[in-house]
Every structure is written in C-alpha cells, then in structure tokens.
Amino acid sequence: MPVHFLSAYLIANHAFVNNAKLRTYDERKLIRHFIWVALVFLALTFDVLLASAGGIAILGLAVVLNFGLRFLDKKIPNFIVELLAVVVFVSLSAITYARFEISYITPVFSWYLCGMLVVTVGVTYFFRRTIISKLSADSIGITERLVIFIFLFAGHYEWVAITVLGGVLYRLVFSKDSKTEWIASPVAGVLVSVLWLVIMRGLF
C-alpha cells in the first residue's frame, strides 16, 4: 500500500515547520500554511490525481482534511490531532492505493520517504514532548538520524557507527543541548531505522 498521503501530511505539517507552533498561527500565517499544504499534497500526487475528476476530488479532500485537523488543533490536545492525522491519511492511502501503483513515486519509495520522515521529524515531535524544548529546531538530531537511516538501509553499518561518533563529537564542540539528547537521538535513529527496514522487508 503506497503512503503518499501520510508522507505529504508529515512534510507539510512537520518537516519544514515546528508543529508545536501551528496552533499559535494567526489568520495570515494559517493562510500561508494552507497554501504550502496544498502545494505539498499536489507535488506528491499530481501525476495520478490530476489525471481524472475523481482524482482531483480526492486531492481536494486530502487538503480539506488537513485544514480541518489544523482547526481541531486549536481546540483539542495536539497529540490527539496528530494521532487522528495518522489514522486519517493511512485510511485515505488504503482506500486509494490502486491509483498510486503507477505513480512516479513508487509504493516502495513512498514507504522509504515516509520512514525518513518518521525517523527525523517524527522522533523530533516525540522529543519536543519529552526531553527538548518545544521551540527547539533539533537540526543536529534530525540530520544525524537521517544519515543513520540512509546508511542503515544501504547496509553500510560502519558508516552508521561513524555517524553516531561524529554526532557525539560535534555536540561536544558546538552543542549546548542536554546530554540526554546526545544519547536518545542516535539510539532512536538506529531503532526506528531498523524497525522500518523490517517493516519494508515484510511488505516488499
């Protein structure tokens, strides 16, 4: 099952924006965000969904659902909104899976892309609720976990180890983040990457 919609949601609402700040946006910022959301969903689905009226309707539904979730975010706890988003966009992916079998983003790559998002911004979302500030960009951790994911999937385990060591050394010199994050970030990067690799091997 392709996961284009879930990937689009994570990119639009997590990858290039601090998700914790979305609920504080005023009307002008929300309008800019909604334009960004529409462009991201379009970028990941245009070759399939723009080919028919039904596809355009599905694209419109996905964007409207995203908008609705952002309005809910102002009224109910954020973690509930994000769990609901996963359910909504996985369900939409399941319902429309046949359309995306011929997408330029193949089903396998859609899962790979989604895994990259989970190990980077997904882990950051969890960290912001536990060990780092909600205002933190977590750029060091995101980069570290992304590189771990890529090398682990490529089977270059020696480079995974080098990445972890490099991340620790970089933090020793340049970072003032807590020591907890120094350990948690690479551990999460390895564990989530291994889990995603197992899932993908089981599916494909």
Side-chain angles (χ1 to χ4, degrees):
M1 180 189 75
V3 285
H4 293 63
F5 288 115
L6 181 58
S7 295
Y9 176 82
L10 292 174
I11 292 172
N13 296 275
H14 288 270
F16 296 97
V17 62
N18 185 335
N19 181 267
K21 294 181 179 179
L22 288 178
R23 60 169 46 207
T24 68
Y25 279 11
D26 58 22
E27 184 175 339
R28 181 177 297 181
K29 286 186 176 181
L30 271 178
I31 290 173
R32 288 202 297 264
H33 178 68
F34 289 166
I35 293 172
W36 162 245
V37 167
L39 290 174
V40 171
F41 274 90
L42 182 63
L44 268 67
T45 64
F46 74 93
D47 63 319
V48 172
L49 297 186
L50 293 186
S52 66
I56 293 172
I58 293 169
L59 175 59
L61 174 62
V63 174
V64 168
L65 287 170
N66 195 122
F67 294 170
L69 288 164
R70 293 280 59 89
F71 284 116
L72 274 180
D73 194 28
K74 293 180 177 290
K75 301 180 181 299
I76 63 177
N78 176 259
F79 75 92
I80 295 179
V81 172
E82 295 307 315
L83 286 175
L84 184 59
V86 171
V87 172
V88 166
F89 289 110
V90 167
S91 298
L92 189 58
S93 294
I95 293 170
T96 62
Y97 79 94
R99 292 176 178 266
F100 290 96
E101 294 292 338
I102 58 170
S103 173
Y104 80 101
I105 298 179
T106 65
V108 174
F109 186 72
S110 75
W111 275 88
Y112 183 82
L113 176 60
C114 192
M116 292 174 71
L117 292 163
V118 170
V119 80
T120 53
V121 297
V123 171
T124 293
Y125 176 82
F126 176 76
F127 281 177
R128 285 192 181 122
R129 303 188 66 86
T130 53
I131 64 174
I132 66 175
S133 166
K134 288 187 176 181
L135 301 180
S136 173
D138 192 30
S139 56
I140 299 172
I142 284 175
T143 302
E144 176 183 55
R145 294 190 300 274
L146 176 60
V147 174
I148 288 172
F149 182 90
I150 292 171
F151 283 141
L152 195 146
F153 264 71
H156 292 294
Y157 307 117
E158 71 280 8
W159 283 103
V160 172
I162 291 171
T163 299
V164 173
L165 178 61
V168 172
L169 292 175
Y170 182 90
R171 287 183 173 92
L172 281 171
V173 177
F174 298 106
S175 178
K176 296 181 181 179
D177 296 331
S178 68
K179 300 296 190 297
T180 303
E181 186 186 358
W182 295 19
I183 299 171
S185 179
V187 168
V190 171
L191 291 179
V192 174
S193 297
V194 169
L195 175 62
W196 208 262
L197 181 60
V198 170
I199 291 173
M200 286 191 62
R201 283 180 175 173
L203 290 174
F204 303 105

